[in-house]
């Protein structure tokens, strides 16, 4: 059980284009999955935060109730099953309707899967905001939706920024599950490279390092972004 | 005098506990009404019903003869006329002071940004907070926060402001700066309903005083009637317990 590091390096150089293609696809899936997942999560947790009110008309109450049930089912299913299974199931289930490519299906599935996690993240972010701000907003005459858009969601995003960012890191790694479709992301590329040279340890070492590089860069970027948001706040204080 | 709020037979309970057991009340234009009474007597619930933050179980509430509990009544527009100031300030943490004052004006009253800002600054001056326009609201002292909250309500050009224990969460040295602001509003003729435990202030500022006890208004009258010549033993006991 020894690793030939030189051979590892050779494999990297020989298959540079394949590795880079895999990296590119992985980055694409991680970013698209996280961005659209966040949008889905905001939408879903936003809808969920609009509670049924005494002053609502009957049809509105029914619609809100149904929306809540659909959302709960969505989160239940997508958090409770592996993305690998979701990918295969939904790709074939909708293939004859959408006529979609593996790439399209993969992007949609990672976004919807991430959305379920984001919905829970944002929901707890919303829960952390004191109820008083919502009441103050309503007492000024802002509607439920306005309160959500201008008061609740901006703070929920800020509160849960570390967890939202963490989903990007999770997606860099978990996009590898989409190799089953197949999607030619980094893990899939590695399987084919290792399948032809049969030097699994040397090949997967490269892959592991590439994943580490990606996740570290993502962490760094997230930290910078967070710091920048912090600086923006400090600026407001300086003006006062 | 114009009737601003009329409450008839208002009842409200929570999980089987009767909190308001039939309230009748009239608030006239330009009137300052304070609501006093021991903890748990239903003062906040009454105020919250008027703002529809709580929805009454039965009874009626009229705002200038409009039934605010009627189907299809525009609650949001109503609330923009009848604002509430809370014990815990409830400023919006994602906006600076100015943003807190302009949001409702722009989104609810559809005022232009410039107009909203002008009105906001005018009201910050009224509460003595004009130097803190761009301050982060989380960095303000309690008294400053409450003055900003009052300016936020004023910026909506409301017809009534409801105050729920505006000074109860404040350190003693900050109570007066807030009471002084409310007193100024009373002198300006603003219609207000104020729940308070500050009896000297209540005596000083109120046209009418409602003494609540166990979900009913047990005694109602002018400030001197309630504070100097209370008719009911209950009222006397309550006032004595506060030793004023
Ligand atoms: N949202 C609620 N759910 C359940 N019970 C409530 C709710 N709001 C108020 N109550 C109950 O109703 C009763 C009256 O409460 P309320 O806050 O109106 O009293 P209060 O007179 O304002 O008292 P305080 O002086 O302590 O503020 C209390 O027993 C309280 O526990
Ligand atoms: Mg109270």
């Amino acid at each position: 059980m020894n690793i030939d590091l030189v051979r590892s390096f050779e494999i990297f150089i020989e298959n540079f284009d394949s590795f880079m293609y895999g990296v590119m696809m992985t980055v694409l899936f991680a970013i698209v999955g996280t961005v659209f997942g966040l949008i889905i999560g905001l939408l879903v947790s936003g809808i969920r935060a609009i509670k049924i009110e005494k002053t609502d008309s009957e049809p509105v109450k029914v619609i809100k109730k149904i929306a809540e049930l659909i959302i709960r089912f969505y989160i239940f299913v997508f958090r409770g099953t592996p993305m690998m299974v979701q990918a295969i199931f939904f790709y074939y289930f909708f293939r004859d309707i959408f006529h979609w490519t593996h790439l399209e299906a993969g992007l949609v599935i990672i976004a919807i899967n991430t959305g379920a996690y984001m919905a829970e993240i944002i929901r707890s972010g919303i829960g952390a905001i004191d109820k008083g701000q919502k009441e103050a907003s309503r007492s000024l005459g802002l509607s439920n939706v306005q309160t959500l858009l201008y008061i609740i969601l901006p703070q929920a995003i800020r509160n849960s920024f570390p967890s939202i960012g963490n989903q990007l890191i999770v997606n860099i790694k978990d996009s590898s599950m989409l190799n089953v479709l197949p999607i030619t992301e980094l893990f899939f590329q590695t399987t084919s490279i290792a399948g032809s040279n049969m030097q699994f340890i040397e090949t997967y070492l490269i892959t592991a390092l590439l994943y580490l590089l990606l996740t570290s860069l993502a962490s760094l970027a997230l930290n910078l972004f967070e710091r920048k948001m912090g600086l923006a706040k400090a600026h407001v204080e300086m003006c006062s | 005098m114009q009737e601003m709020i009329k409450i008839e037979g208002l009842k409200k309970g929570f999980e089987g506990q009767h909190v308001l057991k039939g309230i009748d009340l009239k608030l006239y234009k330009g009137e300052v009404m304070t609501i006093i009474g021991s903890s748990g007597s239903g003062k906040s619930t009454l105020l919250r019903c008027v703002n529809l933050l709580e929805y009454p179980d039965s009874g009626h509430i009229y705002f200038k003869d409009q039934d605010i509990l009627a189907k299809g009544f525009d609650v949001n527009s109503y609330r923009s006329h009848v604002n509430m100031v809370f014990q815990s300030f409830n400023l919006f943490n994602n906006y600076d002071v100015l943003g807190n004052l302009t949001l409702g004006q722009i989104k609810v009253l559809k005022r232009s940004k410039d107009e909203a800002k002008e009105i906001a600054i005018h009201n910050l001056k009224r509460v003595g907070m004009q130097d803190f326009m761009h301050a982060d609201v989380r960095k303000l002292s309690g008294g400053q926060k409450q003055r900003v909250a009052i300016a936020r309500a004023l910026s909506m050009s409301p017809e009534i402001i409801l105050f729920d224990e505006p000074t109860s969460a404040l350190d003693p040295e900050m109570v007066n700066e807030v009471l002084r602001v409310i007193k100024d509003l009373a002198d300006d003729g603003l219609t207000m309903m104020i729940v308070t435990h500050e009896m000297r202030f209540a005596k000083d500022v109120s046209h009418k005083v409602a003494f609540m006890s166990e979900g009913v208004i047990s005694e109602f009258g002018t400030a001197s009637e309630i504070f100097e010549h209370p008719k009911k033993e209950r009222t006397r006991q309550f006032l004595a317990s506060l030793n004023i």
Side-chain angles (χ1 to χ4, degrees), chain A residues 124-160:
Chain A
S124 69
I126 290 175
I129 301 166
D130 65 300
K131 199 164 119 263
Q133 290 189 57
K134 182 185 161 189
E135 291 193 338
S137 170
R138 297 310 302 279
S139 87
L140 290 178
L142 278 91
S143 70
N144 233 324
V145 174
Q146 287 174 324
T147 302
L148 207 61
L149 284 180
Y150 304 123
I151 311 292
I152 307 295
L153 287 182
Q155 293 186 58
I157 293 174
R158 184 168 279 184
N159 289 349
S160 36

Side-chain angles (χ1 to χ4, degrees), chain A residues 59-85:
Chain A
V60 171
K61 281 183 190 169
V62 173
I63 290 167
K64 284 184 178 177
K65 187 79 217 158
I66 292 171
E68 164 77 14
L69 288 175
I70 292 173
I71 287 167
R72 273 162 70 167
F73 183 71
Y74 157 60
I75 293 172
F76 173 68
V77 168
F78 277 84
R79 295 209 322 162
T81 56
M83 187 159 66
M84 228 184 254
V85 176

Side-chain angles (χ1 to χ4, degrees), chain A residues 53-55 130-144 146 149-152 154-155 158 233 236-237 239-240, chain B residues 48 51 53 55 75-76 79-80 82-84 86 90-96 103-104 107-108 110 134-136 138-139 152 156:
Chain A
E53 294 184 356
K54 268 276 175 41
T55 46
D130 65 300
K131 199 164 119 263
Q133 290 189 57
K134 182 185 161 189
E135 291 193 338
S137 170
R138 297 310 302 279
S139 87
L140 290 178
L142 278 91
S143 70
N144 233 324
Q146 287 174 324
L149 284 180
Y150 304 123
I151 311 292
I152 307 295
Q155 293 186 58
R158 184 168 279 184
K233 262 185 278 173
V236 170
E237 283 153 34
C239 292
S240 64
Chain B
R48 292 167 61 84
N51 198 243
L53 286 175
Y55 200 84
V75 175
N76 292 330
R79 286 191 179 126
S80 71
V82 181
N83 292 167
M84 183 135 170
F86 302 85
N90 299 347
L91 296 177
F92 307 136
N93 287 335
N94 56 326
Y95 289 92
D96 63 3
L103 183 71
K107 300 300 172 190
V108 183
K110 310 287 177 207
H134 299 293
D136 180 341
R138 288 165 298 183
K139 301 282 163 67
R152 176 174 67 182
M156 299 299 284

Side-chain angles (χ1 to χ4, degrees), chain B residues 61-79:
Chain B
I61 304 176
Y62 300 93
F63 170 63
K64 299 206 276 193
D65 294 328
Q66 304 163 68
D67 181 356
I68 73 165
L69 305 177
K71 265 211 173 76
F73 179 76
D74 186 349
V75 175
N76 292 330
S77 155
Y78 164 69
R79 286 191 179 126

